[in-house]
Every structure is written in C-alpha cells, then in structure tokens.
Amino acid sequence: MPIPIFDDQISSDVENENDNDKGTPLVREFPPIEHFRIQNVPPAAYYIPDFITKEEEEYLLRKVEESPQPKWRKVGTGRRLQYWGGTMSKKGILLPEIIPDFLTSFPDIIERIESLLRDGSIKGKEKMGLDINQVLVNEYLPGQGISPHEDGPAFRPLVATLSLGYHTILDIHHYLNPTKPSPPMTSQVESDTESGKTIAAIPLAHLLLMPRSLLILKSSLYTSHLHSISSKEEDTIVHRTLSDSVSEDRIVKANGGVEIANMELLGDAEVIDSLKNTGEWTAKRDTRISLTFRQAEKVLKGGALGALSNALKR
Ligand SMILES: O=C(O)CCC(=O)C(=O)O
Ligand SMILES: [Fe+2]
C-alpha cells in the first residue's frame, strides 16, 4: 500500500517535518534478514526487493536532484556523486556533518536499514548492527559504471546500497591467490591492482539490482572481494534451467548475457516471466541513483556537535 505522505505540499515544507498532519508512516515488517541471503556467493550478501515504495523512491530521487549544485562532485569517468554525513580525511577519519531529514526521518530509511540488521543479529554470533554515519550517492547515466574496487578499511565491513530509478548489474570479483590453485573460471588474468594483487578476469558473480531494492554486502565479501559495474547501455541476463521449453542453443545466442546469483530473490514478475518464456531478459539502462549507507569507523570527535552548531547558525 502506498504511503500517503509524499505530496508536494508536505515535501516542500521541511520545517514542519515532525507535525502530525503528515499522516503516520507505514511500518513495514520484513522477514529476518537470513531470508534474503544470496546463495553461492562468499559470505555474505543479502538482496531485499522493494525495500522502499515507489512513492518513497520518487521522493528520494527528487531530493537528490534538488541538492545544491556544490554538493555534486565529478569523478574522472564523468560519474557524479554526493556525500551526505561528511567526507573522509586523508587519514580515513570522518569529518561529520548532519545527515539530512530525507534520509533519517522522512522517510526513515536509515532506521529501517539499521532495524533490519539489528533484528537479524543472531545471539552469541557476529553482531550485525550498523550505526550509519555516511551516505554516498552515485549517479550513473547509461554507459557509465564503476571499475572493480574495494570500499576499504575505513568503513565497517557491512554496507547497504539502495537502488533508485533504473536497474543495474553489480559484478563481484575475487583476487587470484598465487599460493592457492585458481578455480577453473579464473584462467585468464585481468589486471594488477595497486596492492600488487591480481584480479580474476571473470567475475565471481553477477547481481541484478532492481530499482527500490536494497543490497547488503558483509564480511569477506566486503573485506577481500571487489565489486564493479560495467559501463554498458543495456544488460541481458539468461537462465538455463528456469524453462525446459527454451533450448540451450537459444540461450547461448543471447549474446553477452550473464546468469545472476540473486535470481531466487528478485521477486520481479516481468523479469521472471521473460526468463521463463524466452530464457533471457534484456533491458536498456537509464539514469540510476544509488545510495550507499555505511559506518566510518573513526569519526572526528566534537565534529558532529560542530556541524550541528554550524547548521543552527545558518
Ligand atoms: O552504485 C553502486 O551500487 C555501487 C557504488 C560503489 O560501489 C561505490 O561507490 O563504492
Ligand atoms: Fe564500492
């Protein structure tokens, strides 16, 4: 059911955000996080379809677009990004800033992510809690991507990415370990990273990220793997076993198509039907905005207070 609170009048009236006349936000119940675990990838990744509603998606897209121009930065390849919650010093310390209300209270995306993780913590086991203090916004136009990288040790190895606007495919890569035999799929060498480690030529897994979904990467998938998005204008996915009526020949012809690891969790009727009927699904990319929620481990002391007093002075 749509949340009846995101009309123009309300969203432009930022000062009154805590007033009751906005209606009561819908409390969404999610099954325990284990339900969303992606199988057959290193531990651990979780894919939650429809984590937000269409109305929330439109509202967030508008807020990102309306951000003051200086908030946008451009990286070498032309991709634009924004940081909310502060930027990192050269020494990997967060110089904190206040995170805007459209991510904290209206809608309460941060609390929703934190509570999903909190509720998923298994007693006596590794803590799943996250205290989100930075949100990275990436904008991808068709044909733009991000090359294989690690997000690095400055953050807790538990990050959540919300996709808005259009789909993309995130590739997971692993390093070739010279002391261990490579899996059969890693016979070619792609590139050497700054650390001198070599990345396997073929991604370990492909994850289809649909708009409004949340992807959580954790533990070794964060700390010892890389991720990337290829610079494409169109994606094709294939599935070999979903429908017996589609011949192997036909599927092989779906040029450049990839099999995705989060197929079982997609929950998208259009994609599943297409895979069942034709063995493939192809879609053009359009502008995708991603919001990556994470926790910098080190935060400049007194920084948040400073940021608050600055905000009050404005
Ligand atoms: O857009 C995404 O889904 C991933 C973004 C990312 O990996 C990054 O900015 O470090
Ligand atoms: Fe990343």
Side-chain angles (χ1 to χ4, degrees):
M1 192 173 74
I3 296 177
I5 50 175
F6 300 109
D7 56 46
D8 281 324
Q9 184 215 327
I10 293 159
S11 56
S12 59
D13 190 3
V14 178
E15 288 115 69
N16 291 333
E17 264 178 13
N18 293 322
D19 286 3
N20 288 335
D21 62 354
K22 266 196 278 156
T24 311
L26 202 100
V27 178
R28 297 198 54 208
E29 294 271 334
F30 290 100
I33 192 160
E34 272 312 302
H35 177 86
F36 301 106
R37 184 158 187 156
I38 303 174
Q39 304 298 317
N40 302 319
V41 297
Y46 305 86
Y47 178 83
I48 301 116
D50 293 309
F51 187 70
I52 58 169
T53 64
K54 278 199 166 157
E55 288 77 9
E56 288 171 324
E57 180 190 29
E58 279 164 25
Y59 180 74
L60 289 172
L61 281 168
R62 200 165 76 225
K63 293 309 250 184
V64 168
E65 198 185 309
E66 281 173 1
S67 299
Q69 205 53 35
K71 200 75 195 153
W72 286 107
R73 298 167 181 227
K74 224 176 203 178
V75 293
T77 52
R79 196 179 77 250
R80 296 199 302 167
L81 47 87
Q82 299 176 3
Y83 290 100
W84 291 103
T87 51
M88 302 300 278
S89 75
K90 287 211 174 89
K91 290 189 174 160
I93 300 169
L94 181 72
L95 312 173
E97 286 170 14
I98 304 287
I99 297 182
D101 289 349
F102 69 86
L103 295 169
T104 52
S105 52
F106 183 61
D108 60 339
I109 305 297
I110 289 186
E111 170 51 26
R112 212 177 293 173
I113 295 171
E114 288 178 352
S115 79
L116 179 75
L117 293 169
R118 222 174 18 243
D119 296 350
S121 298
I122 301 163
K123 259 207 178 126
K125 287 223 173 169
E126 190 189 359
K127 193 172 156 261
M128 278 274 257
L130 193 65
D131 198 358
I132 293 162
N133 54 19
Q134 198 201 40
V135 185
L136 167 61
V137 179
N138 273 291
E139 179 196 60
Y140 303 84
L141 305 179
Q144 289 183 333
I146 185 166
S147 50
H149 66 280
E150 295 175 39
D151 287 357
F155 298 97
R156 274 205 64 200
L158 180 56
V159 294
T161 300
L162 187 63
S163 292
L164 308 175
Y166 271 79
H167 80 277
T168 200
I169 294 184
L170 186 87
D171 298 330
I172 306 289
H173 308 260
H174 64 293
Y175 290 111
L176 292 181
N177 185 339
T179 61
K180 274 192 202 161
S182 305
M185 59 171 12
T186 59
S187 53
Q188 309 159 46
V189 165
E190 187 184 71
S191 59
D192 285 74
T193 59
E194 274 171 26
S195 61
K197 292 194 269 183
T198 304
I199 306 168
I202 299 169
L204 196 64
H206 305 278
L207 306 176
L208 175 60
L209 309 184
M210 295 302 277
R212 299 180 293 286
S213 69
L214 188 75
L215 175 74
I216 293 167
L217 301 183
K218 169 176 171 274
S219 310
S220 81
L221 200 53
Y222 180 95
T223 53
S224 48
H225 291 77
L226 308 97
H227 51 275
S228 71
I229 294 171
S230 61
S231 308
K232 284 182 167 180
E233 306 215 342
E234 186 176 274
D235 292 293
T236 297
I237 62 171
V238 294
H239 198 279
R240 282 160 208 279
T241 49
L242 203 61
S243 168
D244 294 340
S245 61
V246 182
S247 73
E248 181 75 8
D249 194 37
R250 168 84 199 264
I251 290 173
V252 172
K253 276 194 208 131
N255 221 345
V258 294
E259 295 201 50
I260 52 164
N262 60 327
M263 171 78 204
E264 309 291 329
L265 295 162
L266 271 188
D268 186 299
E270 188 216 304
V271 180
I272 305 287
D273 283 353
S274 177
L275 288 172
K276 269 191 187 152
N277 297 331
T278 70
E280 65 173 272
W281 175 79
T282 296
K284 288 223 178 296
R285 288 194 194 166
D286 207 328
T287 305
R288 168 177 177 264
I289 299 281
S290 70
L291 308 183
T292 299
F293 297 83
R294 50 197 189 177
Q295 179 183 350
E297 302 266 23
K298 293 185 194 152
V299 181
L300 184 72
K301 287 226 172 71
L305 263 183
L308 179 61
S309 67
N310 282 342
L312 290 174
K313 274 186 232 151
R314 263 182 239 142

